[in-house]
């Protein structure tokens, strides 16, 4: 399969001030596959070490940070004659050996001629639990599920992909219905690489759902194995509530939906754990649609999204016919899957930070708000073709120099202050 993020790996390899590379991302998004593929295509050799339950690797890093000794031990452990420039050293599941993570500082300072890349599925959690982080000593790449463009490539729709990234909307609009059909498939399959590969090869919807369920079960096992014991029940309560929270009209996360009388203090650590694990994305509210957005951030109000739209559908037990055939799926679930998809696309394209906006009196509500080219960009998300939005219209009338984007199932259309972009073309 083809991952568009791969180009970032090549850029890292060719960078003159290259530092050890750290991949961040949830379990099963393809970090290990990307590292193996990168080594296969760009290097002569790969020296791979899986740090999970690896006592030899633990002993290797536990002694000291003498790089000559560590490199000698890595050669013995992997059976690879590691040489600068033509060997990629890969340390996988590095969060299991904190000393290995700390060693990246010394790779940078004392052995910078060697190419080192690391990954860890629960790395964010380890760092927040006190593992020493090599501040300023690593380059980072965030890995997300496969986006819609990568889904097109996996399906063999290369010409559709090339047309889409060309932004030739005059021609794209002619193929609108086909793009919508492919988008509906993506809503069901999602972007987890194993599910995409299975669907591209066989089209077997039940097998895709089996894979998605297996991934969800794996996440659930991670809760039990890696989270503090007293936190596990609350983590599960937050996790299982996300579909119902997203499928409400008001998608703001409501603690009372977890249990009667629940407070932020009861669940904030559980939410932080899920965010650090990479399986949940937290989108905070900004109290005013104005720049800089960060100074208007309201930490007490937020939305929670899952890592992948396909997993969201699997958790909600959405049937294939509801997504692939029936047109009422988006009305039934009140745009929750559509917002999930748009957020997922924006994250995969490096959009950050992302907020939503809602006034206390609910007179103005914006699904997402971002900064682009030093300008405010309000984003409205519509699941279908009904695009009436009084709040956004009023905002634009009151701010003549403001531009906004609407993502919907309508074809591309440029208006004076508002650009309608079809959902399959989220940038």
């Amino acid at each position: 399969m083809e991952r568009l993020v791969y180009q970032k790996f090549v850029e890292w390899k060719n960078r003159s001030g290259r530092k050890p590379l750290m991949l961040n991302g949830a379990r099963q998004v393809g970090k290990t596959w990307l590292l193996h593929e990168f080594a296969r295509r760009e290097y002569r050799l790969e020296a791979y070490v899986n740090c999970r339950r690896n006592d030899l690797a633990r002993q290797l890093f536990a002694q000291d940070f003498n790089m000559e000794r560590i490199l000698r031990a890595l050669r013995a452990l992997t059976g690879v004659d590691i040489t600068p420039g033509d060997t990629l050293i890969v340390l996988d599941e590095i969060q299991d050996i904190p000393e290995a993570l700390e060693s990246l500082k010394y790779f940078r300072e004392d052995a910078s001629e060697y190419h080192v890349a690391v990954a860890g599925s629960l790395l964010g959690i380890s760092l927040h639990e006190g593992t020493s982080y090599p501040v300023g000593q690593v380059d980072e790449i965030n890995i997300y599920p496969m986006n819609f463009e990568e889904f097109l490539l996996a399906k063999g729709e290369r010409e559709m992909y090339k047309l889409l990234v060309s932004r030739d909307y005059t021609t794209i609009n002619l193929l609108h219905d086909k793009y919508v059909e492919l988008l509906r498939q993506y809503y069901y399959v999602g972007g987890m690489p194993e599910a995409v590969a299975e669907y591209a090869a066989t089209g077997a919807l039940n097998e895709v759902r089996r894979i998605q369920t297996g991934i969800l079960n794996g996440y659930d096992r991670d809760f039990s194995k890696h989270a503090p014991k007293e936190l596990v029940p609350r983590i599960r309560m937050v996790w299982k509530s996300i579909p119902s929270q997203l499928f409400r009209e008001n998608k703001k996360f409501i603690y009372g939906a977890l249990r009667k009388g629940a407070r932020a203090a009861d669940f904030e650590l559980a939410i932080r754990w899920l965010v650090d694990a990479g399986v949940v994305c937290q989108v905070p509210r900004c109290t005013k649609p104005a720049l800089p957005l960060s100074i208007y951030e309201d930490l007490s109000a937020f939305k929670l999204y899952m890592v992948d739209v396909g997993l969201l559908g699997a958790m909600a037990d959405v049937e294939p016919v509801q997504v692939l055939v029936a047109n009422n799926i988006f009305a039934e679930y009140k745009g929750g899957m559509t917002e999930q998809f748009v957020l997922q696309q924006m994250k995969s394209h490096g959009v950050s930070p992302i907020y939503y906006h809602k006034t206390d009196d609910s007179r103005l509500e914006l699904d997402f708000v971002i900064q682009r080219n030093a300008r405010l960009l309000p984003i409205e998300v519509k699941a279908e073709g009904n695009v009436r939005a009084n709040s956004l219209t009023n905002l634009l009338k009151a701010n003549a120099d403001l531009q906004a984007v609407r993502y919907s199932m309508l074809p591309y259309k440029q208006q004076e202050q508002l650009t309608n972009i079809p959902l399959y073309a989220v940038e």
Side-chain angles (χ1 to χ4, degrees):
M1 291 192 297
E2 192 168 341
R3 297 299 305 267
L4 301 180
V5 72
Y6 183 85
Q7 184 57 35
K8 293 184 178 181
F9 289 70
V10 176
E11 292 169 2
W12 171 79
K13 180 187 179 185
N14 296 329
R15 193 175 300 152
S16 59
R18 183 191 57 256
K19 305 172 185 177
L21 177 62
M22 180 182 293
L23 303 193
N24 300 312
R27 192 181 299 283
Q28 298 292 321
V29 295
K31 299 185 299 296
T32 301
W33 181 89
L34 275 163
L35 287 174
H36 287 322
E37 186 70 3
F38 180 47
R40 183 184 69 82
R41 290 166 59 176
E42 309 295 337
Y43 292 87
R44 187 172 65 87
L45 298 169
E46 177 186 11
Y48 177 82
V49 177
N50 191 323
C51 297
R52 174 166 290 177
R53 300 195 183 111
N54 191 329
D55 289 337
L56 286 176
R58 188 177 300 278
Q59 294 171 33
L60 186 161
F61 289 102
Q63 298 180 38
D64 54 44
F65 295 111
N66 181 296
M67 294 313 301
E68 184 177 347
R69 180 194 63 79
I70 287 175
L71 286 163
R72 185 168 57 249
L74 284 173
R75 292 184 182 100
L77 183 63
T78 62
V80 175
D81 188 13
I82 300 170
T83 53
D86 69 351
T87 304
L88 180 65
I89 301 171
V90 176
L91 304 178
D92 204 359
E93 301 295 353
I94 194 173
Q95 78 279 351
D96 275 24
I97 305 179
E99 295 85 358
L101 187 62
E102 192 175 353
S103 76
L104 299 181
K105 172 184 176 182
Y106 300 93
F107 270 106
R108 164 67 172 161
E109 294 177 349
D110 302 332
S112 59
E113 68 273 23
Y114 290 89
H115 294 209
V116 182
V118 306
S121 297
L122 299 172
L123 190 52
I125 292 167
S126 299
L127 296 176
H128 276 89
E129 290 178 347
T131 298
S132 178
Y133 184 79
V135 178
Q137 303 295 324
V138 295
D139 294 320
E140 298 185 61
I141 296 178
N142 294 320
I143 308 299
Y144 299 103
M146 297 174 71
N147 60 27
F148 181 61
E149 297 92 290
E150 292 170 318
F151 178 76
L152 292 179
L153 291 171
K155 284 269 295 172
E157 299 284 358
R158 182 165 293 275
E159 294 305 314
M160 295 288 283
Y161 161 77
K162 288 165 64 176
L163 177 60
L164 188 61
V165 298
S166 76
R167 303 299 164 187
D168 174 9
Y169 284 109
T170 301
T171 307
I172 289 171
N173 285 351
L174 298 176
L175 295 169
H176 177 77
D177 290 344
K178 183 173 181 180
Y179 278 116
V180 169
E181 179 187 346
L182 288 164
L183 178 60
R184 289 186 181 280
Q185 294 174 42
Y186 181 80
Y187 277 144
Y188 182 82
V189 177
M192 303 307 281
E194 185 181 359
V196 174
E198 178 64 33
Y199 185 69
T202 68
L205 298 175
N206 290 336
E207 185 62 17
V208 166
R209 182 50 52 87
R210 185 195 67 79
I211 291 169
Q212 292 167 336
T213 301
I215 293 171
L216 290 172
N217 290 339
Y219 288 169
D220 190 78
R221 287 192 295 272
D222 281 343
F223 304 159
S224 299
K225 289 166 59 177
H226 300 287
K229 185 177 180 181
E230 67 280 5
L231 205 58
V232 172
R234 296 180 184 183
I235 289 173
R236 286 199 170 111
M237 289 174 69
V238 172
W239 174 247
K240 291 179 180 179
S241 80
I242 292 177
S244 62
Q245 301 256 12
L246 279 180
F247 294 157
R248 289 185 293 105
E249 186 68 32
N250 175 16
K251 298 174 183 62
K252 172 190 171 185
F253 189 83
I254 304 296
Y255 291 101
L258 302 178
R259 70 181 184 201
K260 188 175 181 179
R263 301 171 302 166
D266 299 328
F267 289 94
E268 58 186 4
L269 289 180
I271 291 171
R272 174 49 50 192
W273 197 96
L274 289 165
V275 171
D276 287 345
V279 298
V280 162
C281 179
Q282 188 172 19
V283 175
R285 172 182 176 242
C286 67
T287 58
K288 182 178 179 181
L291 299 181
L293 289 169
S294 59
I295 70 173
Y296 300 107
E297 182 176 308
D298 176 11
L299 297 176
S300 67
F302 54 87
K303 300 179 186 179
L304 289 185
Y305 297 88
M306 293 184 63
V307 66
D308 177 63
V309 67
L311 295 184
L312 174 64
M315 186 179 286
D317 201 23
V318 175
E319 297 291 337
V321 67
Q322 294 175 291
V323 181
L324 299 174
V325 179
N327 289 325
N328 62 357
I329 174 65
F330 305 110
E332 288 178 2
Y333 295 107
K334 300 178 182 178
M337 291 187 74
T338 312
E339 279 195 28
Q340 168 72 49
F341 166 74
V342 171
L343 176 74
Q344 195 172 324
Q345 283 290 108
M346 291 195 296
K347 296 285 285 185
S348 76
H349 286 288
V351 177
S352 180
I354 302 172
Y355 298 90
Y356 82 97
H357 171 70
K358 188 173 185 178
T359 55
D360 292 332
D361 60 9
S362 298
R363 294 179 64 184
L364 174 61
E365 183 171 2
L366 301 172
D367 297 313
F368 298 112
V369 187
I370 64 173
Q371 294 177 213
R372 189 171 72 177
N373 300 326
R375 295 176 66 89
L376 178 74
L377 184 66
I379 296 174
E380 181 184 61
V381 176
K382 292 293 185 180
E384 298 183 280
N386 179 4
V387 294
R388 288 184 298 175
N390 293 331
S391 59
L392 180 59
T393 301
N394 293 336
L395 176 67
L396 295 177
K397 285 181 179 178
N399 298 270
D401 62 340
L402 190 62
Q403 297 290 318
V405 165
R406 175 193 291 136
Y407 291 118
S408 77
M409 282 295 190
L410 293 178
Y412 178 88
K413 184 178 180 181
Q414 175 71 59
Q415 297 172 278
E416 187 174 348
Q417 287 181 265
L418 179 64
T419 304
N420 187 87
I421 298 177
L423 282 161
Y424 50 77
V426 175
E427 299 180 60

